[in-house]
Amino acid sequence: MDWNNMVLIIGEEEEDRLSTATRELLNLGKRIATNTGNALGLVLLGKNISPIAQQGFEYGADRIFSADSPVFNPYLADIFLDSLVPEIQTHGPALILLPHSDRGMDLAPRLAFRLETKLVTDCEDIRINKQNGSLTFIKPVFGGKTLGNFRLQDHKPQIVTMREGAVDSAPSAPGRKGEVETLNTSGQNIKARVRFIRKEVDKSLVRVNRLKTANLVIGAGRGVKSPEGVTLVEQVAELLDGAVAASRPVVDSDWLPYSLQIGLTGKKVHPRTYIAVGISGAVQHMAGCLKSGKIVAINSDESAPIFRMSHYGIVGDCRAVLNGFLDEFRKTAPAPG
Amino acid sequence: MIKIIVCLKLILDPEIPLSLFKIDTVTQKPVPPAGIPPVFSPFDLNALEAALRLKDQNDGQCTVTMLCLGENIPKAIIQKALAMGADEAVILDDAAFDDLDPYSTAHCLAAGIRKIGRFDLICTGRQAADWDNGIVWAGIAHHLDLPCVSIARKAEIADDKLIVERCVSDGIEILETDLPALATFSSEVGEPRFASLKAMMAAKKKPITKWNAADINFQSTECPDPVGLTPPPSIDIDCCFIEGSSDEEKGQKLAQLLRTFEEANMPGTGI
Ligand SMILES: Cc1cc2nc3c(=O)[nH]c(=O)nc-3n(C[C@H](O)[C@H](O)[C@H](O)COP(=O)(O)OP(=O)(O)OC[C@H]3O[C@@H](n4cnc5c(N)ncnc54)[C@H](O)[C@@H]3O)c2cc1C
Ligand SMILES: Nc1ncnc2c1ncn2[C@@H]1O[C@H](COP(=O)(O)O)[C@@H](O)[C@H]1O
């Protein structure tokens, strides 16, 4: 195993575990590391991060580096950069992977300029040439109308951010353990030019979190026409124990909070069923829900593109359809208790 | 006087239907369809809107300069954006600027900004809606050694400080930095304003400065990395339409369908 040409993941935590996106990267990183004969490294900076860092071994990391300090929380780019850059220069990884998360999309391009290298953002896949180990990064471009195939072979390290949910999480091998290496940085003496004042947690955080766990997500589009139309969608969601999402025009009109937007620049959902109500099926929207098990579309225009991506379709006025749905569901719903 | 520079990129209209989207197989670049003019990347217009709100709040004490890099930038499109309220535009226009990669773009924009001279705030979009890179902003900040905040929905200036609301997946972070600084903006800013007819007329008199590659000492040295474009996996699913004599009836049938899923506890269904 080549330590010098490591595949290095800059990981993230969520609550007291490695984030889902980080576990996805460990899976992808392992595949690349194995195929190119290199080691898989994971670096984590955070407050009380050490116990979480250890989990990385379970998910396939060969080497784990961590720096545990309150200065890393909340995330400030300057502190992360000044801590990571010298370490990266010492270890010389060939490839750095980050999730395309709030933090990753902020950190990765800055890191690339600091290290005088190049990057590809928001990738969906990485292909490995088994002969020479070269990598091709696949990313939807032009709003998903085509796929870009990027190569960065003359640059070291190559940096990539990966779209969340693009690959499966690494399987866990409980009991796989190792020694977490402590980084030289404490982050303490770094002056952050951008200062954190406070955070305002979204008022609809419960609904945002439901998007990740619900088996059914129902998305409201411009075709719902009004806040009353949104209410109807919310009623259906409640009956089905589902989560409510929105397309961009709906959040732009303030009918639902921005945090419920799904799509290219919104949340990515992959429920078992996604019901798209009054949504045309623009690629930028579908980027957030195409991984759903089944897609059901309700749209008044039979030629709407959404029907080409849906398993079930209803051509009709969404309000009438949803009213019929609610009547039937309430009629046949089992008595509570 | 607060001086704001907004970077705006002209791109192939991202809302054109798939049927109009064609790729030149030789150059591996999209071919702009005839008769469809380029548009400013939507997030860049959000950045312009955020800058114009700062101008409104600091009435008479703030100027906004638009900065665009490209080849053959149409004056009419620049004037239309100027009519929203910016004071002037600087366009970096040269055949050498056609389709630069993000690293050269950042290099040129930083050079353009240096030539403009004094500024307090650079505003950019979170990402240009062509390649959705989100890279150039970091390059500008790096070359000009500026503190920066990405994905903002709001910015305010008070006592030579910039206060920014940054969008994160579970809320917003309020961050502060000294000026000069750079911020990138997202659709959460809200819709860009419309220009009145009167403003359109007035915009024809606003100054547009044009610089070429030599003016900013740009020599193309970098050989861009190879990129190929391939069609996305086709997702032509055979849609099963639920029929009925009325829309209500179709809704009832959908409820029944979802219920049979539930009863059969069929894998792959929602409930
Ligand atoms: C860079 C970029 C990023 C973007 N990111 C996102 C993103 O993250 N998420 C996102 O959602 N969008 C995004 N967009 C916008 C996207 O391109 C589309 O404009 C948007 O998704 C359209 O939303 P919609 O389907 O609700 O509205 P529309 O496209 O206007 O569709 C409304 C649909 O409702 C139907 N309808 C009308 N009346 C009725 C009725 N009574 N009953 C039933 N159906 C009816 C119509 O037939 C139509 O199909 C982005 C765009 C760009 C350029
Ligand atoms: N050619 C350009 N002219 C002006 N601004 C640009 C140009 N290219 C990129 N930008 C700015 O940089 C941001 C990020 O671009 P990108 O890295 O290409 O996604 C854009 O939203 C613009 O604000």
Side-chain angles (χ1 to χ4, degrees):
Chain A
M1 247 189 294
D2 187 350
W3 298 107
N4 279 326
N5 281 311
M6 199 165 27
V7 174
L8 182 67
I9 293 163
I10 302 180
E12 295 179 6
E13 74 279 14
E14 64 197 359
E15 280 149 27
D16 54 356
R17 57 187 307 198
L18 291 174
S19 74
T20 313
T22 304
R23 285 182 281 123
E24 289 165 6
L25 294 186
L26 282 162
N27 196 15
L28 175 73
K30 189 82 195 176
R31 184 160 61 85
I32 299 169
T34 312
N35 274 291
T36 53
N38 296 315
L40 177 63
L42 170 67
V43 57
L44 286 161
L45 307 180
K47 181 171 126 191
N48 302 330
I49 200 81
S50 304
I52 302 172
Q54 177 67 37
Q55 295 169 14
F57 290 114
E58 256 180 64
Y59 294 103
D62 299 311
R63 237 178 131 172
I64 298 177
F65 310 90
S66 83
D68 201 327
S69 163
V71 300
F72 297 121
N73 193 352
Y75 159 80
L76 285 171
D78 294 333
I79 294 183
F80 270 64
L81 282 171
D82 284 355
S83 301
L84 287 168
V85 167
E87 297 288 343
I88 292 168
Q89 283 163 339
T90 312
H91 289 286
L95 173 68
I96 299 180
L97 300 172
L98 301 96
H100 193 72
S101 57
D102 300 332
R103 191 205 277 184
M105 67 179 99
D106 185 69
L107 187 58
R110 302 185 200 230
L111 200 56
F113 283 98
R114 280 284 286 273
L115 295 169
E116 295 182 13
T117 183
K118 293 188 177 181
L119 82 161
V120 186
T121 57
D122 206 10
C123 289
E124 275 197 333
D125 196 13
I126 300 181
R127 297 219 183 100
I128 312 161
N129 179 322
K130 294 247 165 71
Q131 262 93 53
N132 61 12
S134 74
L135 302 175
T136 305
F137 308 104
I138 317 283
K139 160 191 174 128
V141 290
F142 294 91
K145 293 190 182 81
T146 181
L147 291 177
N149 298 239
F150 297 82
R151 254 162 285 143
L152 300 173
Q153 69 252 45
D154 298 332
H155 304 278
K156 193 181 171 192
Q158 307 181 15
I159 302 180
V160 176
T161 67
M162 290 294 299
R163 185 170 288 190
E164 292 173 64
V167 284
D168 292 334
S169 277
S172 125
R176 192 171 181 274
K177 285 206 164 50
E179 194 81 42
V180 175
E181 298 165 61
T182 308
L183 290 181
N184 286 325
T185 176
S186 66
Q188 225 76 1
N189 302 321
I190 300 167
K191 196 174 164 301
R193 293 194 293 175
V194 175
R195 295 169 293 274
F196 178 83
I197 309 285
R198 64 174 193 282
K199 178 164 179 170
E200 288 174 8
V201 173
D202 206 299
K203 283 192 211 73
S204 42
L205 188 60
V206 181
R207 300 172 84 184
V208 175
N209 288 336
R210 280 291 290 146
L211 284 178
K212 289 184 217 152
T213 53
N215 283 331
L216 180 135
V217 174
I218 169 161
R222 202 198 310 259
V224 305
K225 296 260 166 65
S226 62
E228 290 71 42
V230 172
T231 308
L232 214 49
V233 167
E234 288 173 328
Q235 286 171 354
V236 173
E238 200 178 327
L239 265 186
L240 299 174
D241 196 22
V244 177
S247 71
R248 203 167 82 189
V250 169
V251 298
D252 279 342
S253 313
D254 226 5
W255 297 344
L256 280 170
Y258 268 106
S259 46
L260 296 182
Q261 175 186 326
I262 63 169
L264 181 68
T265 53
K267 304 280 185 306
K268 313 281 186 293
V269 297
H270 28 83
R272 284 197 258 166
T273 307
Y274 179 69
I275 307 183
V277 184
I279 290 176
S280 60
V283 269
Q284 292 94 345
H285 180 80
M286 300 313 287
C289 61
L290 265 183
K291 292 238 148 61
S292 308
K294 289 261 186 299
I295 298 178
V296 181
I298 305 172
N299 198 303
S300 53
D301 174 7
E302 64 181 334
S303 64
I306 185 89
F307 289 124
R308 291 201 294 276
M309 303 168 233
S310 303
H311 301 83
Y312 293 94
I314 291 183
V315 180
D317 170 53
C318 59
R319 277 163 301 182
V321 172
L322 291 185
N323 275 322
F325 185 97
L326 286 171
D327 286 348
E328 175 69 19
F329 217 89
R330 288 195 177 117
K331 194 170 72 196
T332 53
Chain B
M1 195 59 120
I2 302 165
K3 189 159 169 136
I4 305 176
I5 299 173
V6 186
C7 299
L8 298 109
K9 184 178 189 185
L10 277 175
I11 59 166
L12 176 67
D13 188 341
E15 307 265 5
I16 60 162
L18 197 54
S19 55
L20 288 181
F21 184 80
K22 296 279 170 330
I23 294 165
D24 182 323
T25 46
V26 179
T27 61
Q28 287 288 300
K29 303 254 159 70
V31 192
I36 295 184
V39 297
F40 283 116
S41 179
F43 300 120
D44 300 3
L45 290 173
N46 294 127
L48 178 59
E49 174 61 32
L52 293 174
R53 287 180 195 167
L54 280 169
K55 185 179 166 182
D56 294 343
Q57 282 156 19
N58 297 277
D59 192 24
Q61 295 299 312
C62 177
T63 64
V64 175
T65 302
M66 293 172 38
L67 177 64
C68 316
L69 170 89
E71 191 201 4
N72 288 330
I73 297 173
K75 203 169 160 197
I77 296 182
I78 300 288
Q79 279 170 340
K80 218 175 128 198
L82 278 171
M84 286 168 64
D87 299 276
E88 57 162 350
V90 173
I91 55 180
L92 308 176
D93 197 325
D94 198 301
F97 298 153
D98 179 34
D99 214 26
L100 291 182
D101 74 6
Y103 314 94
S104 300
T105 301
H107 180 86
C108 290
L109 288 171
I113 292 166
R114 279 199 200 96
K115 195 171 162 79
I116 291 172
R118 199 191 74 81
F119 65 89
D120 298 287
L121 177 64
I122 310 288
C123 299
T124 79
R126 61 179 287 168
Q127 65 204 49
D130 44 10
W131 299 92
D132 285 312
N133 278 326
I135 296 176
V136 167
W137 63 274
I140 300 172
H142 178 80
H143 297 315
L144 301 173
D145 195 23
L146 296 173
C148 59
V149 177
S150 67
I151 317 203
R153 68 165 198 190
K154 190 175 170 191
E156 263 172 44
I157 290 176
D159 307 326
D160 277 339
K161 288 192 176 55
L162 177 75
I163 298 137
V164 174
E165 295 183 6
R166 163 172 158 81
C167 306
V168 289
S169 62
D170 60 349
I172 54 165
E173 289 174 352
I174 293 139
L175 303 166
E176 181 197 82
T177 185
D178 297 336
L179 295 172
L182 180 145
T184 87
F185 291 86
S186 183
S187 51
E188 282 85 343
V189 167
E191 302 271 341
R193 63 193 63 190
F194 282 106
S196 67
L197 213 55
K198 203 171 131 221
M200 296 275 221
M201 298 309 292
K204 297 213 166 99
K205 295 199 195 74
K206 291 186 178 176
I208 301 178
T209 309
K210 200 160 150 179
W211 291 328
N212 63 20
D215 292 327
I216 58 163
N217 282 323
F218 174 73
Q219 280 144 358
S220 168
T221 47
E222 289 226 41
C223 177
D225 295 278
V227 183
L229 294 176
T230 46
S234 74
I235 23 167
D236 232 353
I237 299 169
D238 208 5
C239 183
C240 166
F241 283 96
I242 298 168
E243 308 290 349
S245 58
S246 69
D247 289 347
E248 283 80 3
E249 191 188 322
K250 293 175 192 167
Q252 288 165 4
K253 286 193 177 162
L254 178 64
Q256 287 159 6
L257 181 78
L258 289 183
R259 191 163 284 284
T260 58
F261 286 171
E262 183 189 33
E263 275 159 13
N265 198 13
M266 256 170 53
T269 62
I271 52 175

